[in-house]
Every structure is written in structure tokens, then in C-alpha cells.
Amino acid sequence: MADESTDLTGTVAVVFGTRPEIIKQAPVLHALGADGAGVFTGQHYDQELTEAVFRSCGLDPLAPAVDGVGGGTRAQQVATMVDRLADRFTRQRPRAVVVQGDTNTANAGAQAGHYLGIPVVHVEAGLRSHDRAMPEETNRLLISALADVHCAATPENARNLLDGAVPAGSVFVTGNPVVEAVTALCPSQEETAALLAGLGVAPGGVVATVHRPENTDDPQRLRTLVGGLGALGAPVALPLHPRTRKALGAWRVPVPDSVRVLPPVDYRTFLALTRSASLLVSDSGGLQEEVTVLKKPLVVVRTSTERPESVAAGFSVLSEPEDLVEHARRMTSPQALARLADTPSPYGDGLASQRIAVLARDGASALQPL
């Protein structure tokens, strides 16, 4: 049974469906206070993991507001969520709808709000990989066409929107709430030590994550990537995404002895792993932002990125799997690490959620646009 325990009438409806969205939207909800109401679609729903994320973000856990979304195809997910969200917004009309990023949930939330004439606020607007093969890129383009207020994390994101004919009066450079989220949720040194000890992981090694289809669905690419992890000359902790676990088995990819496979971990534990690592290797989008707050080097094993700011600032480098070892060597040189320690995050000053809350609550006239 879909959860409608919170009446959305007159509130700012903050929509999220995946754990990363909860993490980035939590600061916005806190900034909105009584004016905000969370709507969780359950796009990614593991009760234990999801409730842990809610609690770590200082939010009461929400049951899914949409039935039967998890596990469906993209078309099924988006169609179901648009229908259910539009129905609820009709009966409990919010003053605005806030969506974040480029998920199917964000796409559906933007459509539902737009079709009903409810102002749509897009957090993390203007990301572009210019790779239409990425499902996220399609979602970004659709949301940009529907949103009324575009909260760009960086000036480059704002330029992407203007280049796409988005009206300048609707574009605001707010920063990214990920800065607040990482700062608030990163465990202390003592808690980090305890979390690592519980996993049997020593500090100072490499932490890796792999989950994108471009890496998991290509057996040779996956084999080269995992082999590269084993050639780094350091112990590697690899929290394993279910898709990657399945692919390793299906393609019979051997895991080197130096790579320690871990089960999926909660966000605070992952931040503990990240802050204690000497190097990150990943195909994650969000991690490209998080390392800029934690001042850590990252090798991004992807062919393109929608977060070039992290690369330009020196925190990340794009790499093919066969070039992993060489890029890791360069990113962990003493000179590179010293430079990162003194480089501010390109994703803002830690006040993004306050600006976004003002725009969502009071409309585009509340702040100065571009």
C-alpha cells in the first residue's frame, strides 16, 4: 500500500527515490523545515539500507509513496511514477515540487509537477555528459525542458543550461547540497577507525566501486579493470554492487588476492572508507563530487563525465581500464596530493541547501538569477 501519511497540500514536495537522492535532498528538507515534505518513490528500495540512510541524514524513514516501482524497466518505472505522483499532487496540491539530479524518479517528479502547472525546481541542474547513450543524460535533458527553476551547482552547469536555450531568469548558481551532506555525515576519526576495524580494512589503501553498465556489461573491460585494481600495488577494498557481483560470476572474472570484496555498505561507512583511503577508483558520478570535499584523488573509469569540474580542479581523472595503474601513480604523487589539500571544492560553499530552499519556498524572484 502506497504511503500517503503526509499531506502535501501547500508544502514544498521534495521528491526522491534512490539513496543518493535522499542524501542530497536531506539538507534541502532540513532547510525548508515545516514548509517541506518528503516524497519517497521507492525506486531503489532495500528496507534496511534505506532506513539507515534516512536515519543517518536526520530524517524519519518514509515508506514508498508509489507501489511496484523497484525492478521495473525504465519505461515502466517512469510511467508508473508519473501516474501515481500526478494523482497524489492532484489530491494534495503542493506549492512546488523539488527534484534532484538525473534519476527516473527526478524525471517522473518533474513531469508530474509540470503537467499540473506546479512549479518544478531542479537541484543539480545543467549536468551534461553529451553522451545520449547514458540513460541519465536523457533524464537530464527532459527535466531541463520541464523545470521552472534551475539550481545549477557550478557556473559551467549554468552555461550548459543557457546553451540549451533555458531562460537566464530561471537559472541560479546555488552550489551543490553534497557539500553540506558530506560535511554533516562524515564520521569522526574515532568512528572511522571503528568502522574500518569492523570491516577488517586497514587505512591507507585503495577503495574502489564499479557498477555502471559500460564496465559491468563488457566482459573484457571488466576483466581489465579488475586486473588493474590488482596491479596497483596496494590493498583494495571493493564494496560490491549487486550488478557487479552478478557480472563477475557470469563472465568468470577472477578477483586478485589484493582486492578485498565487501558487501554493500551504508553511506557513513562508505565515507569512512573514502576519508581513510589513499586513492579512489570508481565509475560513480556522486563520488566525483564527494572527493572534492574530502580532498582525495579519484580515477574515474569511464569514457565520459558530466562532472568536468572535478577533473578541472585536479581531484579526478578519466581513465580507460588499461590506463588505470599509470593514472593512479600520477594522482597519488606527493605534488598532486599537496595540491588537492589546498584546492577548494568547485561545488560550493556549503550553503546550497539554504539557497535552494528560498527558491522553492518563495519562487524565482527571491534570489538574483544569472
Side-chain angles (χ1 to χ4, degrees), residues 224 299 318-329:
T224 303
V299 178
L318 282 173
S319 176
E320 291 300 314
E322 57 268 25
D323 301 322
L324 171 57
V325 174
E326 176 59 23
H327 280 127
R329 184 188 65 80

Side-chain angles (χ1 to χ4, degrees), residues 322-343:
E322 57 268 25
D323 301 322
L324 171 57
V325 174
E326 176 59 23
H327 280 127
R329 184 188 65 80
R330 294 178 182 176
M331 292 295 288
T332 54
S333 71
Q335 297 85 351
L337 295 176
R339 185 175 64 251
L340 294 188
D342 293 330
T343 302

Side-chain angles (χ1 to χ4, degrees), residues 153-320:
T154 69
E156 183 162 353
N157 295 159
R159 285 193 295 273
N160 288 337
L161 292 165
L162 298 179
D163 289 345
V166 173
S170 67
V171 178
F172 301 81
V173 178
T174 59
N176 194 316
V178 72
V179 178
E180 294 105 294
V182 172
T183 302
L185 298 176
C186 191
S188 66
Q189 289 186 350
E190 294 77 10
E191 186 182 358
T192 293
L195 289 168
L196 263 61
L199 293 171
V201 173
V206 177
V207 173
T209 69
V210 181
H211 77 282
R212 288 190 178 271
E214 71 177 277
N215 287 321
T216 61
D217 294 359
D218 182 332
Q220 185 55 50
R221 187 176 177 89
L222 183 61
R223 189 171 287 108
T224 303
L225 196 168
V226 174
L229 293 176
L232 289 173
V236 178
L238 177 64
L240 205 57
H241 191 282
R243 178 189 294 129
T244 313
R245 182 181 295 278
K246 182 178 179 180
L248 290 173
W251 306 128
R252 298 183 180 179
V253 175
V255 177
D257 292 340
S258 61
V259 177
R260 171 82 180 279
V261 172
L262 301 174
V265 296
D266 63 54
Y267 190 60
R268 285 180 66 84
T269 301
F270 185 73
L271 288 178
L273 287 166
T274 301
R275 71 168 299 184
S276 68
S278 60
L279 174 71
L280 286 300
V281 177
S282 181
D283 55 14
S284 165
L287 190 55
Q288 295 173 57
E289 300 164 346
E290 291 154 354
V291 294
T292 72
V293 183
L294 298 172
K295 313 300 183 187
K296 295 292 180 178
L298 168 66
V299 178
V300 182
V301 189
R302 282 171 51 179
T303 57
S304 64
T305 180
E306 64 284 356
R307 292 171 173 88
E309 301 88 354
S310 182
V311 175
F315 290 99
S316 304
V317 62
L318 282 173
S319 176
E320 291 300 314

